[in-house]
Amino acid sequence: MADPDLSAIARECLGTLPTPLIAAPRLSEELGVEIWFKRDDLTGIGLGGNKVRPLEFLLGDALARECDVLVTGSGPQSNWSMLAALAARRCGLDSVVCFYGDAPTTVQGNLLLHSTIGTTVKYTGDPSRATVDALIEVTAQELRAAGRNPVVLPRGGATSRGAIGYVAAALELRDQTSTVGLENPTLWMATGSCGTQAGLVAAVAAGILPEVIGVTVSRTADECRERVLTLATGTAELIGTPAPLATQVNIVDGWIGPGYGYASTEGRDAAALVARTEALFLDPPFCAKAMAALAFAAGNGDVTGPVVFLVSGGAPTLFVQDGDL
Ligand SMILES: Cc1ncc(COP(=O)(O)O)c(C=O)c1O
């Protein structure tokens, strides 16, 4: 199967790519499975993270449409919203971010970084996450009425266009695995709003990657399966590759712990193991939980071949009090 030609798709170069693929020999020995890290915590904007890759395509499109302000939303500690606001600035756009709930009393982590960036921040006043969607829409309408041209992006940036960023990442990874002689690795990762996994699943359907396993840290497994498949189908349409199959969407459930945005005991243990063996810090809401799932599966003998673990970033939340995540 020929590789997709991504060169015709609007893209703004933001990241420092490719990110490194590095062996994790001491962790591999501990878990009894060959593990490598794909270091997407080193994508180069701000403190790095997976969201830089979709932003290259989302902001490329926004610039092509001559947008002048980015509107999105999430919770106050979202890595997505911080990176979207930061990358928007880098492209000369203003940014408005809508958060659910009320303004937290402690300004820390990603929220603290928004004050440095100069993001306009709004709150829904309602703790339900979905309330953000309506405020994003109202904000966009107000901006249009004021003569602005907003690019409006959903929570997590989870869109088929953004997911092209992880098709590009898969092409990058395939070159790296072939250079180091790593055959048929399974990619493990944390799944939240599902855009990252969608891009990787589109890459599986296009024959670029063998297999992807997403560990849900937020939504139910059924919701993830549906979202990943829908987003990946849209991505495949945009880049002209075969439609993904439901059987290519693998979701591992059971590792959310006390809830989305709360650290879990298993995640803390897994992050400590990685820090002590490989000198790498995994963020509590995403990577730590995915690593806990991988360690458990490895301990059960359910993981046989080599694994590439996607280190997807989240450095700002390493310093946030649990409960405020
Ligand atoms: C550090 C980190 N890892 C993983 C994810 C999950 O990515 P996605 O929302 O595309 O599923 C996120 C989402 O914000 C994240 O911030």
Side-chain angles (χ1 to χ4, degrees):
M1 207 182 305
D3 284 346
D5 177 11
L6 304 183
S7 64
I9 300 174
R11 178 177 189 173
E12 182 67 13
C13 178
L14 296 169
T16 308
L17 306 176
T19 57
L21 174 71
I22 57 164
R26 297 193 66 225
L27 181 66
S28 301
E29 201 181 316
E30 285 282 338
L31 298 185
V33 174
E34 182 181 356
I35 297 177
W36 293 68
F37 288 128
K38 177 64 173 161
R39 294 291 305 270
D40 273 12
D41 55 324
L42 301 177
T43 47
I45 286 271
L47 297 170
N50 58 334
K51 300 296 178 172
V52 173
R53 293 187 187 269
L55 280 164
E56 290 203 332
F57 289 90
L58 295 169
L59 281 165
D61 177 58
L63 290 172
R65 293 189 288 116
E66 299 186 349
C67 296
D68 56 10
V69 54
L70 179 145
V71 185
T72 193
S74 59
Q77 285 306 331
S78 156
N79 301 305
W80 153 252
S81 284
M82 189 280 286
L83 281 167
L86 187 65
R89 289 294 200 185
R90 162 93 178 261
C91 295
L93 276 66
D94 293 328
S95 48
V96 183
V97 167
C98 306
F99 292 139
Y100 52 79
D102 295 308
T105 43
T106 312
V107 177
Q108 54 186 333
N110 280 306
L111 186 58
L112 181 59
L113 296 174
H114 277 295
S115 51
T116 306
I117 299 166
T119 312
T120 302
V121 170
K122 294 176 154 192
Y123 290 89
T124 67
D126 184 323
S128 155
R129 282 196 259 166
T131 57
V132 161
D133 305 345
L135 188 57
I136 291 176
E137 216 27 70
V138 169
T139 303
Q141 278 164 16
E142 286 169 0
L143 286 162
R144 283 189 203 104
R148 305 292 299 271
N149 182 15
V151 49
V152 185
L153 299 174
R155 283 181 279 152
T159 53
S160 292
R161 181 171 297 278
I164 299 171
Y166 267 90
V167 177
L171 289 165
E172 181 184 303
L173 178 61
R174 186 191 56 190
D175 285 351
Q176 292 173 314
T177 52
S178 108
T179 302
V180 298
L182 185 57
E183 279 178 25
N184 286 326
T186 300
L187 195 144
W188 281 68
M189 56 171 299
T191 287
S193 67
C194 300
T196 305
Q197 190 171 354
L200 293 167
V201 165
V204 170
I208 301 166
L209 280 186
E211 191 183 29
V212 175
I213 296 182
V215 178
T216 177
V217 301
S218 165
R219 298 161 197 270
T220 65
D222 281 347
E223 193 185 346
C224 287
R225 279 185 205 101
E226 200 183 313
R227 281 176 66 86
V228 170
L229 190 60
T230 304
L231 289 166
T233 303
T235 304
E237 273 166 23
L238 284 170
I239 61 172
T241 50
L245 307 173
T247 49
Q248 289 166 329
V249 182
N250 302 304
I251 303 287
V252 174
D253 201 359
W255 299 92
I256 297 175
Y260 169 68
Y262 288 84
S264 68
T265 308
E266 296 82 0
R268 268 199 207 97
D269 291 346
L273 176 66
V274 171
R276 291 167 198 175
T277 51
E278 300 296 342
L280 177 68
F281 295 121
L282 299 183
D283 73 309
F286 291 98
C287 295
K289 291 178 181 178
M291 181 54 76
L294 171 59
F296 181 79
N300 274 352
D302 293 337
V303 186
T304 45
V307 168
V308 173
F309 183 87
L310 182 70
V311 185
S312 46
T317 60
L318 285 169
F319 309 99
V320 174
Q321 294 290 326
D322 198 20
D324 290 339
L325 279 163

